[in-house]
Amino acid sequence: MSLAAKSFARAAIRPPTPFTASVTKAASRSTRFTVPRQPIRSSRRGYASEAGAKSSSTRLYWGVGVAALACAGGYFFYNNGGLTSLREGSAGETRGVFTPTKEDYQKVYNEIARRLDERDDYDDGSFGPVLVRLAWHCSGTYDKETGTGGSNGATMRFAPERDHGANAGLTAAQNFMEPVHDKFPWITYSDLWTLGGVCAIQEMQGPIIPWRPGRMDKDIAMCTPDGRLPDGAKEQKHLRAIFGRMGFDDREIVALSGAHALGRCHTDRSGFEGPWTFSPTVMSNDYYRLLLSEKWANRKWDGPKQFQDVASKALMMLPTDMALVQDKGFRKHVERYAADHEVFFSEFRDVMVKLLELGVPFQSKEEDRIVFQPLE
């Protein structure tokens, strides 16, 4: 395919506004609480005039026909959620339309996993946690009353939503995923971002998360209003309002909060600072165990209110985290997950599947979900 044609084809499926933010390398961390990177589970163009001179009406009909065909093709592609796409051959030429198989999606998964293994120039040596956060935040805007928001749309590609305070720093995850989309341009960003979250969880030794495609990318008009994601500075009433809007109960709220076993906060993003656990690139039930076993005190600093473990002063918890042990309805689930790693993984898996599918008009059935094989 010529350079111009290839650029045109890719422009048709890329978001109108490319991501320009660069990935900021993480500053060196104190070895007091930063663990070593954990092993991963492991050209010729033809024109209508070339056939000879024809009447203007013939050329008009030909042009209208081509335009109609192009529009129909575009409609077919976008209204199938990216499940049917133009496939590139080995030399880059168009081979026609195809329906991606489970094997095709496994290849996308493998590419994400490979990049996670190779790119260790981010927080604590892994982009994994920020990919989970991207999948979480693009899904957590769902409103069950209006049917708006959720992962179906990938509207965080656009400035109104990308610039929401809760999404600060997520351009790093979006930029990380861009080379994957370049390699597999048939997949929608909506599917790619959620698949990336699944891959990151599994490659960080978390549970297997069944996943299915079918999300459609939408335009800027579908960006959700600010304020739909949790605010770490609030407490239990806020948590129930935010998660209740999506249709989650107390147990599911506590289970989803277990994702705080991964990653850390940054002063230049949320205003908070520090990791929740000593192994922020490994999925475990440590978040719950530490909530219960450590003594937590208000951190004395110039930043927003957060808590610090008394023993090492290396870990932090947010007001929303402490609400889980202060509220009786939440605490009983914290205790269950702290006591049983397998129970947590099982219930986290189910609620993560639910989160990633909120508001998505799937044409497939639940039994069609794909179980991806982690890289060895």
Side-chain angles (χ1 to χ4, degrees):
M1 182 185 289
S2 68
L3 179 60
K6 188 173 183 180
S7 298
F8 175 82
R10 288 193 171 178
I13 55 176
R14 280 174 179 256
T17 314
F19 304 115
T20 57
S22 60
V23 177
T24 303
K25 292 188 177 181
S28 58
R29 307 292 182 186
S30 167
T31 55
R32 183 175 189 179
F33 59 87
T34 302
V35 296
R37 175 152 166 73
Q38 300 292 326
I40 293 180
R41 194 167 54 197
S42 344
S43 85
R44 176 180 179 272
R45 291 176 180 162
Y47 297 90
S49 60
E50 289 183 16
K54 294 185 179 181
S55 68
S56 59
S57 60
T58 301
R59 289 196 297 271
L60 175 62
Y61 294 147
W62 187 91
V64 170
V66 170
L69 181 60
C71 290
Y75 179 88
F76 182 71
F77 172 77
Y78 285 108
N79 284 273
N80 280 275
L83 295 182
T84 305
S85 172
L86 291 178
R87 187 174 196 172
E88 293 183 348
S90 59
E93 68 273 19
T94 299
R95 293 299 190 187
V97 296
F98 85 123
T99 300
T101 64
K102 292 182 178 181
E103 290 72 23
D104 291 307
Y105 287 109
Q106 181 70 57
K107 291 177 182 178
V108 179
Y109 177 102
N110 292 347
E111 181 65 14
I112 299 170
R114 182 190 65 78
R115 287 179 54 76
L116 282 172
D117 188 47
E118 293 179 353
R119 294 289 304 275
D120 59 0
D121 54 335
Y122 197 68
D123 283 352
D124 305 301
S126 177
F127 274 87
V130 77
L131 292 192
V132 176
R133 182 169 166 244
L134 175 62
W136 207 115
H137 282 218
C138 75
S139 303
T141 57
Y142 181 68
D143 185 330
K144 66 181 181 180
E145 297 300 326
T146 64
T148 59
S151 65
N152 190 45
T155 48
M156 205 192 302
R157 291 171 294 148
F158 307 108
E161 191 169 329
R162 186 171 65 239
D163 294 343
H164 291 171
N167 294 330
L170 285 178
T171 50
Q174 295 175 34
N175 290 338
F176 176 92
M177 297 295 278
E178 197 63 21
V180 182
H181 193 269
D182 287 343
K183 189 169 183 177
F184 304 97
W186 49 264
I187 189 170
T188 65
Y189 282 96
S190 307
D191 276 342
L192 180 63
W193 290 356
T194 53
L195 196 162
V198 168
C199 177
I201 290 169
Q202 295 190 177
E203 296 301 316
M204 290 188 290
Q205 304 177 36
I208 300 298
I209 311 291
W211 175 93
R212 55 177 164 161
R215 297 162 187 81
M216 299 174 288
D217 292 338
K218 299 180 180 180
D219 62 28
I220 194 172
M222 300 306 293
C223 284
T224 58
D226 201 358
R228 288 193 177 186
L229 293 167
D231 182 346
K234 303 294 181 64
E235 297 180 345
Q236 52 264 50
K237 183 178 180 180
H238 170 77
L239 285 176
R240 289 191 171 101
I242 291 293
F243 285 89
R245 188 203 68 236
M246 292 184 271
F248 293 114
D249 58 26
D250 283 4
R251 179 185 63 82
E252 293 170 316
I253 292 172
V254 178
L256 281 173
S257 297
H260 281 177
L262 304 169
R264 63 171 59 241
C265 289
H266 306 76
T267 55
D268 61 342
R269 298 177 188 179
S270 64
F272 303 106
E273 182 182 53
W276 289 269
T277 71
F278 290 106
S279 302
T281 61
V282 177
M283 188 70 182
S284 69
N285 66 339
D286 283 357
Y287 167 73
Y288 305 107
R289 296 194 305 103
L290 291 165
L291 265 174
L292 296 173
S293 65
E294 296 297 317
K295 291 183 179 181
W296 300 92
N298 283 309
R299 178 181 177 182
K300 296 179 180 180
W301 72 319
D302 294 332
K305 181 180 179 180
Q306 69 177 64
F307 298 84
Q308 187 177 59
D309 73 302
V310 174
S312 73
K313 294 181 173 56
L315 305 177
M316 61 121 254
M317 290 289 172
L318 305 175
T320 47
D321 299 314
M322 300 307 296
L324 300 185
V325 292
Q326 295 166 350
D327 184 279
K328 292 182 179 179
F330 289 145
R331 186 182 179 101
K332 62 184 180 182
H333 300 297
V334 173
E335 293 172 345
R336 287 195 308 113
Y337 298 147
D340 196 321
H341 172 88
E342 295 301 324
V343 169
F344 165 55
F345 267 28
S346 176
E347 296 187 15
F348 178 83
R349 175 199 64 219
D350 294 343
V351 75
M352 195 68 188
V353 170
K354 178 178 177 179
L355 173 68
L356 298 181
E357 295 190 353
L358 290 175
V360 182
F362 290 111
Q363 297 180 15
S364 60
K365 300 178 181 179
E366 293 183 1
E367 52 266 33
D368 295 326
R369 291 181 180 131
I370 304 170
V371 174
F372 293 106
Q373 180 65 39
L375 290 188
E376 295 297 334

